[in-house]
Every structure is written in C-alpha cells, then in structure tokens.
Amino acid sequence: MPTSRGSCTGSGVLLGLTFAGAAPKALIFREPEDILTLGALVASRLFGHDIAVLRLSADEYDAVAGQENATISAMRLRAGPLNLALDPVVPSALHLNETDREFLSGAHGEAVRLAMEIITTMATVQGAASLTDVTRVHIDGCIYAGPAFLVFARRMADLGARVRVPTTMNAISVDHANWHAQGVGEEFGLPASQLADAYVEMGAHPTFTCAPYLLEDKPVPGEDIAWAESNAVIYANSVLGARSIKHADFMDLCIALTGRAPRAGVYLDENRAPRRVIDVALPRDFDDAFWPMLGWLVGQAAPDRIPLIRGLERTTPSRDDLKALCAAFGTTSASPMLHIAGITPEANLPPTADADHLTIGAAEFARLWAGFNQGAAAVDLVALGSPHFSAAESAAFADLMEGRTVHPDVTTIITVGRGTLASIAENGVQARLQAAGVKILPDLCWCSISEPVFPPSARVLMTNSGKYAHYAPGLSNRAVRFGSLAQCAEAACSGQASSALPAWIARFLG
C-alpha cells in the first residue's frame, strides 16, 4: 500500500491482528508512513511478534507491485527478477542529549527505556536528526478497539510508567461512571473502563474528549506538542498554529513518558508549507453543512500533502466550523494540517516550488451530498458530537429545539467532553436540551460508541458531522443521512430527513 490514512488507532489495530494471528507478514510502503509502522514496532519490541516493514522508492515499489510473489529476508527483497538490498533502521546518526541517553540506558526504568527505544527508532524512520521537547501530550490509545490496547497499557503501567508532561486523554469507549446502568455488558464495559483507568494510573488527566482544543488550557502558536487523534492534530496545527505530527497510538504514551518527540514532519518550518493549492468556488447563502463537506472534499483532493484553500477570504467561519472542516479533512487525507487563505495563522507561507493546483466547485459538493445521504428518509437516530460538541454548539442546538420535543420514534444523542458538560450544566443548556428529549453523553464519542448505548433498533442515523458521515456506515453498519444542524433538529422532531438537495447547493449548480 502506498501509505496509510485516517485514524491514529491503526497502530493498535495492527497489534491486535498480531495477537489474533491475522497480521500481515509484511507491509511495503512507497510514501512516509508512521501509524502502521509504529504498530509493527510495538508488536516486535514488547510482544515478540515480528512484521517486516519496508519503505521503497517509487520505482522499486511499482516494480514489486507488478509481481505475483515476494520473498523478504533480513537483508534482501526478491520479487521476480528484482533482487533489492535492504538497509535496516539504525538510529546511530540521531543526536541525543544526556537525558535521552539516560532514558535509553534504563536509568529511569524499563517502561521509559522501551519508550525511548521506540521513539529513537521512529525518529530514524521519519528522518529526524534530533528530538524536540514537547509541552503536552494527548493520548488516543485509551479507546478500547480490542484487547491489544489494554494489554499494551497494562504492560506499561505494570512496568512503572508515569507521564512526565501534562497529558490529556481522548474520548474512551464507555461512559466511565454509567456504563453499568446503560446496559453495557461486562465483557466490553469492564476492559474499556480498565483501559481508561490504566492511563489515569500512569498520570494522564481523565479529560475523555476527542476535542482537547476545547479545553480551557489550549496550545499557543509555535508550541511543540504531541497529540494523537487525527482531528485534534489537524486543528492544533492548522487553526491554533501549534506543532504536532499525527502521532500513532502507543507513540503518544512513549512521548508522554519522556517529554521528547522526533523533530520531523511539521515540527519543522520547512515542512509546513502547502504543496497543493485548491481554489474553491464559494456558493451563496450556504449553511453550516458547507464546512464539513469542504473538509472532506479538500482531503480527497489532497490525500498526501498539505493544501492551501483559496476562495474563502470573505467568509468568517467560527471555531466550530473550522473544527468540522478539520475533522472531515482527516478522514480523507493523511496530512496533519491545512491552510485557509485569510483565515488560518500560517496561510501566508509560500507554496513549495513543486506545488500544483486543483479546483473544487458545485459538482463536487452535489456528488458528496448524494454520497453522504444514502439512507432512507425515515430517521430514527440523530447523532451529534463527532468531534465532541462545544458549549456553543450545544447552545445552538438547544435554541433550535426550543419549544419542541424529540419525536417518540427518534433517539437524539449529543456526545461531549467532561469540561463541556460541566459548562452546559452550569449555564442551563443541559437542562434545556434534556427538556426537549435530547440525551447527553460524556466520555465517549461516535467513533467509539457501541450497542446498547448506540440504539440497537436504529436503522438510519442523521448527523451534521462529515467525519461521522464518512465512518458511520462501516462502524455502525447503519445507513446515514447528513445535513446542517437545523436539518438535524428538524429530523429529531419529525423523524424525517428532507430528500431535496439543499437550496444553496441547488443554486450553486445553477
């Protein structure tokens, strides 16, 4: 495969495949790739499950891909007439300071030694010459996507792992305090909560949100951080101007234990410049559905490079609009950031010399609308909060539901972080939403929710999230409808989604 894209969770999924005896024997990449590479590294160093990982030049990759079989040994790749020498990854050229060397020597314990060994190996893979200090970490590996995640966390905790920098936690897979009462079975709820507890035991803060940029303490421009969770990384780089590559699950903990990360990728000024310029034809009188749709389309148009979006200079997107855009972008692009001319803080960076040019117009929006609305018109679940809703989004939905109630055949759920829940409880928004029949769930998010919290009887869900519209068919095995927040409120009250193309897209098509 050329590279990977999407969720940072892929490293843990690969580790789980090794435990199940279903992992690939080898992974062969053409482009830079960190997430699956890290999963293979953890499988080998901590658990003795070896997966060969190769990165070839474009010509070598194309030649190997044309063969029916390949044989890989420690030093050679043979495929048909090809006989390629392999160079092992050796971090000998990496500059380490005295503390780094202490970590590697085991002077600070076995967990830290393993963490630094993984960091230095990945730094070499990424072409880093040195490591950088980070001020904060966001853990993505606390989502229970299978037993491998708990096995890893428990192994590190039992080895005495403790974080050295402030560390927040992603949404988890259960409402930590209420999963028993919600009918979640012990076979899932117990390991999911134990996984969260393991990270708290190691010193992480139980923030349990996939939107750490909504927390009161957020990164500032130029700050080196180490975040996992793809939407958070993209938002931090693009909107806040902080610096983090898209760290894979497990790498996040390794960095939290050491406070050190490979100085590579978008930690470096020269790697933050756009390599594709995308001109967007701006429709008139568009609604909030425009932003997640644009993010998805831009990601599809720039799956492997940082884009500069032009044409939005006269718009004034809210932080929540940009949140929706960044999250949807992360579902279709492997890039850790984007620029929006006139809006994001580094949009004046000159494009690279090899930057190319694309356009996005009405036809692309119309096709995506059709693709996002494959479900029937009858809706029985409205799913909001992917990424977690902010206090402002919660208030906006409460305004839309004022004087109305959720239809008896529809379940309407908003997922939020604990900080947002405390805020809307204090300002009365939570009570207003609940009076309208809206359920509010903390700790978990739609990408980690499961039955019975996800209503088992639901067949068609509606969301305003481009991220969830992309992932929901595969994650939930349900059909999807997509629309603006107002359209979601209408579906919540009527049980029906409009089949008409939104007026702004219809006008856009002319």
Side-chain angles (χ1 to χ4, degrees), residues 239-260:
V239 180
L240 300 181
R243 301 187 171 214
S244 177
I245 66 172
K246 193 187 291 186
H247 290 292
D249 287 10
F250 309 149
M251 187 70 168
D252 46 14
L253 178 63
C254 292
I255 296 172
L257 300 183
T258 61
R260 301 283 277 168

Side-chain angles (χ1 to χ4, degrees), residues 200-246:
V200 174
E201 179 183 330
M202 289 185 276
H205 301 300
T207 49
F208 300 159
T209 180
C210 53
Y213 42 81
L214 296 178
L215 298 172
E216 187 172 337
D217 179 23
K218 56 178 64 69
V220 299
E223 182 180 347
D224 282 355
I225 64 175
W227 279 7
E229 164 56 46
S230 59
N231 98 84
V233 172
I234 296 164
Y235 190 97
N237 281 310
S238 307
V239 180
L240 300 181
R243 301 187 171 214
S244 177
I245 66 172
K246 193 187 291 186

